[in-house]
Amino acid sequence: MEVEVNGEPVKVFSGARVRHAIMSYSLEDYRLINAGKRLVVDEAGNEVQLGGELTGREKLTIVEASGGREDLQDGSQG
Amino acid sequence: MKTSKFNAKVAGVAVLMAVFLLGVTSLSAGHADGGHSLAILHVNDVHGVLENLDRVSWYKQKLEEEYDEVLTVTAGDIFTGNAIVDEYVIDGENLRGKPMVDVLNEVGVDLSVIGNHEFDYGQKRLQANAENADFEFILANLEVDEEVAEVELPPAYVKMETSFGAELAFLGLVEVRDKYPATLPTNLYGLTFNDPVATAKEYSYLTDEFDAYIGLTHLGYEWDRELAEEVGGFDVIIGGNSATAIAEPGLTNDVLIVQAGEDLEFLGQVTIEFNEENEIVERSGKLVKVTEIEGSDDEVKEVIEGYRAELDKIFSRKINHLDEPIDGTENLGCLMTDAVVRSPKLEEMGYDVDIAFQNSGGIRIGALGPGDVTVGDVFDLEPFGNDIIVYEMTTDDIKSVIRNDFDDHGPTDLKVSGMTYKVLISPENEVEEVKLYNYYGEDLPEEETYTVAMNEYIASSYDFSARNEGENAHVRVNDAIVTFLEDVIGEFELNHTYGNLDRTSKSFVGEGVPLAETEVKLSSEGKTEGSTSAGNLMADAIKAVTGVDVATFPSYSGLNAGADSISAGSEVRQPQLLTLYGNYINENKAVWGEISGKHLEEFLLERGQAYDNVDLQVSGVNVTYQAEDGKVTGIETDLKRDKTYSVSFNSYAYGGDYAPVPGFTKDGETELTEQEMLFEYLDGVDVIGENVAEDRVIIE
């Protein structure tokens, strides 16, 4: 399955969620999203949270967040 | 399941509240023109999160004072994602999901569509949860073979009448991909899922029969839009599945589409205004940040607290016993991957898993046991709840996983079951060759393909051939480990298998270039918890070569946390030293320039607060972070705030994560990479001294 992140094609496994596409695109961005510094929006500009299931049609964009999350953590498993 | 029930409501008390919460202006009730207002509160993809449902209930009660009618619905996936709900097995009785249903009952939820994860605990549990629910589960695009299935056919839709006489219909739809929703296919025996859009077309007559026709869907925003475009007729689609937080809902083909993110971060609120003839005159939607709801329903909170108090009991369930601990990432990784290879669930699904991988960073405890092994121990070992992703791979594909692992995480970071492997490392710290063996030490046949399982973190963040060809099995690694310890491996085998395994190894091709001797242990362990000797050494090298006052080096990307340390008193050779650092240092250089002490201190604080850890290794400055509840709140350094310093930053981070660095004037970039600077520095050093063991960055 392939989706778009920041205009670039990103290949992910079948049954992937938003977080998988973001991790595939950039672990650094994934860490910043978990830390509430950035967030993911869809084509319509709606925020899409990391657990969202992907259909293969998504065009996602990573944008700066206005504030940090309360449950700050980097989400890394590396 | 229960037959569709009629939810008669007591007429809401018309109370005008100007502003009552979060600065949100409420809609007026008690219409002068005889019209009425309906509020529908909605959540989706709650995934077992109980916390804050007491706030939702409080909010609902407040709205009931204001609106003529208030309904509360969920758009699916109320289960899976929180141990208290997912692992609710009490005294041997499987009651998975019950805590969530009990809390939703207390909140007074009216209706839920069946999401894909509602099937995760199996059909018997879905049926039991539906029978326990005071609210209805609906789903239109499902057919049930009563001879085979163990769940009864839910209503396709329900009709409700408001206190002011408006008739509403809610139609339930769930996603279908390759015949099934995203859950364990083995849980779907006797069930047929039909295309949701085609199903909706069959029910489109409902739009003419009711005052308001509402889709309660678990499809995802893209699919909801398709539904609105192709079917139409809905006044509102309340959706889930894509975790889209639609702050300002718009109309698609005259259908208002709403969705409220996931994990109860937001509560959605749809408002429908009816005129005296119960015709819709206005629709709108908004999101409320749940943590900002000021009140709490004590009765709901009491139910939640009751379940939270049971968490210890759930986690203390004994699933095996160890006389001696299983310790070290190699042994624990072997246990974790064996659990995947021998998973009965994966086998039932038709996956004959040959090989499994587990990354060292995902092994979160140093030892398991001794003593009784419990469910809680497994959740400590693997707290992420990672799904297992399954691939068909050639030996070249498998080698590419290991090569990428080496590049980004150092040698033998990946633990394995079903084979062993050896990485041969060149003097330039590159993978010369990867050798794959079976447990008898024979080469893995290259002509065969292998079913390879790995967690979702590896599947997403490692770059390897065939990465996009995997399938999510929807089985969690920690669930596989619990099953393995409880049902698959006996106490004897467990106690006699994981003592001193060595399925992964590395060797260096040639002896490598001797660089220096070291008086101290060189290690990258704890790279984001404080200074490390490897980090200090690199920062010292950059400082010496560039001549700056203060040199910095990224902890997270620059250091390999899982690498073997180099003992004090030993000779340091090139390949061994380089395994402490990511291959990041092969490509990255240093940017240097000038900055005031004030701005540099602010930059260091910002880096500490970026992840609330030690993000930089340094030379030329001492840094103490103050922290409260795990969050970095302040900084002290030995910098003089009004002095100008020359400073260096990693070139990649400078252009990305750090940008912009306020107050910094860039003067240049090194021609040498960080690795080359390290070698140049060590060329003039005979002995690596005690100074690299200094605690230069600490968190208090």
Side-chain angles (χ1 to χ4, degrees):
Chain A
M1 181 161 66
E2 189 172 295
V3 298
E4 219 177 271
V5 180
N6 286 355
E8 292 181 20
V10 171
K11 290 180 176 177
V12 288
F13 53 82
S14 166
R17 295 171 180 275
V18 172
R19 65 172 177 269
H20 302 125
I22 301 302
M23 279 195 275
S24 297
Y25 175 76
S26 161
L27 266 184
E28 189 61 32
D29 279 319
Y30 178 67
R31 295 175 75 211
L32 289 165
I33 291 163
N34 269 292
K37 310 289 182 189
R38 291 182 188 166
L39 53 86
V40 185
V41 297
D42 64 14
E43 267 189 293
N46 299 309
E47 180 183 353
V48 184
Q49 297 186 287
L50 292 172
E53 292 194 12
L54 298 173
T55 62
R57 290 178 286 183
E58 286 79 5
K59 293 182 178 179
L60 306 171
T61 306
I62 300 166
V63 299
E64 297 295 326
S66 53
R69 287 190 191 287
E70 288 176 11
D71 55 341
L72 194 66
Q73 50 183 275
D74 73 9
S76 78
Q77 300 178 36
Chain B
M1 290 195 183
K2 294 185 291 287
T3 54
S4 182
K5 61 195 170 200
F6 175 68
N7 291 268
K9 294 277 179 177
V10 177
V13 180
V15 177
L16 183 64
M17 299 175 72
V19 176
F20 83 98
L21 188 66
L22 303 174
V24 174
T25 304
S26 66
L27 293 167
S28 62
H31 300 256
D33 60 359
H36 295 91
S37 59
L38 164 69
I40 306 174
L41 296 177
H42 59 97
V43 294
N44 56 277
D45 301 275
V46 174
H47 291 301
V49 174
L50 302 178
E51 288 73 18
N52 294 325
L53 280 168
D54 54 311
R55 293 174 191 254
V56 170
S57 185
W58 182 87
Y59 188 85
K60 172 175 168 273
Q61 289 165 17
K62 284 291 172 193
L63 287 197
E64 283 168 350
E65 295 170 4
E66 184 190 2
Y67 285 78
D68 297 305
E69 187 72 72
V70 178
L71 298 173
T72 308
V73 301
T74 98
D77 276 8
I78 58 175
F79 301 138
T80 299
N82 188 6
I84 186 68
V85 178
D86 299 341
E87 301 299 329
Y88 196 68
V89 179
I90 298 295
D91 299 329
E93 188 180 4
N94 176 359
L95 297 171
R96 289 183 168 94
K98 184 175 185 299
M100 174 53 76
V101 172
D102 283 351
V103 175
L104 293 180
N105 282 343
E106 196 65 34
V107 170
V109 162
D110 297 283
L111 188 62
S112 181
V113 66
I114 298 177
N116 50 300
H117 285 297
E118 266 63 273
F119 295 96
D120 287 357
Y121 310 141
Q123 291 188 28
K124 283 184 184 174
R125 279 310 306 156
L126 175 55
Q127 183 64 35
N129 281 318
E131 287 172 4
N132 180 39
D134 295 338
F135 53 91
E136 200 72 68
F137 281 98
I138 58 170
L139 192 56
N141 58 324
L142 172 66
E143 291 178 37
V144 174
D145 180 345
E146 292 177 359
E147 299 292 316
V148 180
E150 295 184 275
V151 66
E152 292 173 21
L153 183 68
Y157 68 94
V158 295
K159 47 186 179 180
M160 297 182 180
E161 186 176 339
T162 67
S163 57
F164 51 88
E167 294 188 331
L168 322 173
F170 287 83
L171 181 78
L173 296 166
V174 71
E175 57 142 17
V176 184
R177 298 176 200 189
D178 299 329
K179 294 190 193 175
Y180 298 118
T183 183
L184 281 78
T186 47
N187 284 348
L188 302 178
Y189 47 89
L191 305 181
T192 303
F193 292 87
N194 299 317
D195 178 76
V197 175
T199 301
K201 284 178 181 171
E202 292 173 21
Y203 288 93
S204 55
Y205 63 90
L206 292 172
T207 191
D208 298 324
E209 296 185 0
F210 290 87
D211 298 313
Y213 181 37
I214 298 162
L216 188 59
T217 74
H218 193 75
L219 303 174
Y221 183 54
E222 292 286 333
W223 220 334
D224 283 337
R225 290 208 299 189
E226 186 183 329
L227 186 65
E229 292 282 4
E230 290 199 21
V231 182
F234 293 103
D235 295 299
V236 183
I237 293 176
I238 299 174
N241 201 33
S242 57
T244 310
I246 306 177
E248 295 175 5
L251 296 176
T252 301
N253 192 22
D254 200 34
V255 180
L256 182 74
I257 301 175
V258 299
Q259 195 176 151
E262 66 174 346
D263 295 343
L264 215 61
E265 185 170 344
F266 299 104
L267 171 65
Q269 180 182 335
V270 170
T271 299
I272 304 178
E273 300 279 351
F274 294 87
N275 65 16
E276 201 169 5
E277 285 75 41
N278 282 333
E279 295 166 333
I280 295 174
V281 293
E282 196 176 328
R283 292 160 289 167
S284 63
K286 66 177 182 181
L287 295 177
V288 176
K289 183 95 173 163
V290 171
T291 53
E292 292 175 8
I293 295 174
E294 292 166 344
S296 164
D297 179 333
D298 289 342
E299 290 176 14
V300 175
K301 193 165 190 173
E302 195 178 326
V303 178
I304 295 170
E305 291 301 324
Y307 279 116
R308 286 168 64 99
E310 285 191 273
L311 199 57
D312 282 347
K313 188 174 179 184
I314 292 163
F315 276 177
S316 64
R317 189 173 100 232
K318 177 188 172 185
I319 52 177
N320 214 312
H321 182 88
L322 279 167
D323 299 328
E324 300 291 334
I326 296 174
D327 56 11
T329 54
E330 181 70 26
N331 290 320
L332 290 167
C334 289
L335 169 74
M336 294 169 79
T337 50
D338 284 355
V340 174
V341 168
R342 295 168 66 180
S343 163
K345 262 190 192 172
L346 291 174
E347 192 180 343
E348 276 173 34
M349 294 165 69
Y351 294 118
D352 184 11
V353 177
D354 301 301
I355 293 161
F357 286 115
Q358 168 67 44
N359 59 311
S360 294
I363 302 170
R364 301 306 259 207
I365 58 175
L368 189 66
D372 288 345
V373 182
T374 65
V375 171
D377 292 332
V378 174
F379 276 73
D380 288 340
L381 175 66
E382 205 282 351
F384 306 104
N386 280 323
D387 280 345
I388 297 168
I389 316 301
V390 184
Y391 294 81
E392 287 300 312
M393 287 187 163
T394 64
T395 51
D396 281 346
D397 292 328
I398 296 168
K399 287 176 182 178
S400 81
V401 177
I402 296 167
R403 280 176 184 273
N404 179 257
D405 180 51
F406 177 90
D407 288 344
D408 288 347
H409 307 275
T412 69
D413 171 79
L414 280 180
K415 305 309 170 192
V416 70
S417 176
M419 67 167 208
T420 68
Y421 72 85
K422 184 175 194 175
V423 181
L424 303 180
I425 304 166
S426 74
E428 293 76 33
N429 194 37
E430 289 173 353
V431 177
E432 183 121 332
E433 193 177 353
V434 176
K435 288 180 171 291
L436 310 179
Y437 307 104
N438 63 23
Y439 285 157
Y440 305 105
E442 300 160 343
D443 289 341
L444 224 53
E446 291 188 359
E447 64 279 10
E448 292 185 17
T449 59
Y450 301 86
T451 303
V452 180
M454 60 186 74
N455 67 38
E456 61 178 75
Y457 183 80
I458 303 171
S460 304
S461 65
Y462 286 45
D463 191 12
F464 55 93
S465 56
R467 183 167 78 169
N468 61 321
E469 291 168 17
E471 290 178 349
N472 190 339
H474 299 291
V475 174
R476 295 194 309 273
V477 174
N478 53 19
D479 189 41
I481 300 168
V482 169
T483 303
F484 181 64
L485 292 169
E486 191 165 33
D487 302 328
V488 177
I489 190 168
E491 198 173 313
F492 181 86
E493 187 185 352
L494 180 68
N495 277 280
H496 292 84
T497 302
Y498 299 100
N500 194 21
L501 290 172
D502 195 10
R503 294 180 185 165
T504 61
S505 61
K506 63 177 185 290
S507 68
F508 297 100
V509 179
E511 291 189 342
V513 180
L515 298 169
E517 292 199 2
T518 182
E519 288 182 343
V520 297
K521 179 174 138 182
L522 293 177
S523 167
S524 52
E525 199 177 335
K527 62 182 184 177
T528 55
E529 294 158 19
S531 302
T532 66
S533 49
N536 286 345
L537 177 63
M538 177 62 85
D540 286 350
I542 296 168
K543 180 172 182 287
V545 172
T546 59
V548 295
D549 300 318
V550 175
T552 66
F553 179 64
S555 303
Y556 182 78
S557 307
L559 294 167
N560 285 331
D564 293 338
S565 57
I566 299 172
S567 306
S570 60
E571 184 178 59
V572 178
R573 287 178 177 269
Q574 187 172 311
Q576 289 93 333
L577 178 65
L578 291 179
T579 61
L580 294 170
Y581 304 96
N583 275 14
Y584 192 74
I585 66 170
N586 296 354
E587 302 153 10
N588 288 281
K589 300 176 178 181
V591 166
W592 82 84
E594 291 193 336
I595 192 170
S596 70
K598 172 180 176 290
H599 281 118
L600 181 53
E601 191 170 276
E602 287 169 358
F603 168 77
L604 292 167
L605 176 60
E606 186 189 313
R607 292 320 305 159
Q609 290 179 325
Y611 306 111
D612 289 309
N613 62 18
V614 173
D615 192 55
L616 289 172
Q617 306 285 309
V618 298
S619 179
V621 63
N622 288 296
V623 180
T624 301
Y625 289 116
Q626 289 100 36
E628 277 178 40
D629 299 327
K631 297 190 187 308
V632 170
T633 55
I635 189 170
E636 280 184 19
T637 70
D638 52 4
L639 295 167
K640 292 189 172 72
R641 290 175 68 82
D642 54 356
K643 183 182 167 183
T644 299
Y645 292 86
S646 57
V647 62
S648 75
F649 303 115
N650 171 277
S651 57
Y652 179 78
Y654 173 76
D657 203 12
Y658 302 170
V661 180
F664 175 72
T665 307
K666 179 181 170 182
D667 289 331
E669 183 169 319
T670 58
E671 287 186 9
L672 300 180
T673 64
E674 288 170 328
Q675 178 177 301
E676 289 165 340
M677 285 189 273
L678 179 65
F679 290 158
E680 182 166 313
Y681 172 66
L682 290 175
D683 199 31
V685 171
D686 293 330
V687 178
I688 298 169
E690 296 282 347
N691 60 314
V692 300
E694 292 167 349
D695 284 330
R696 297 174 186 171
V697 187
I698 59 173
I699 299 181
E700 283 185 342

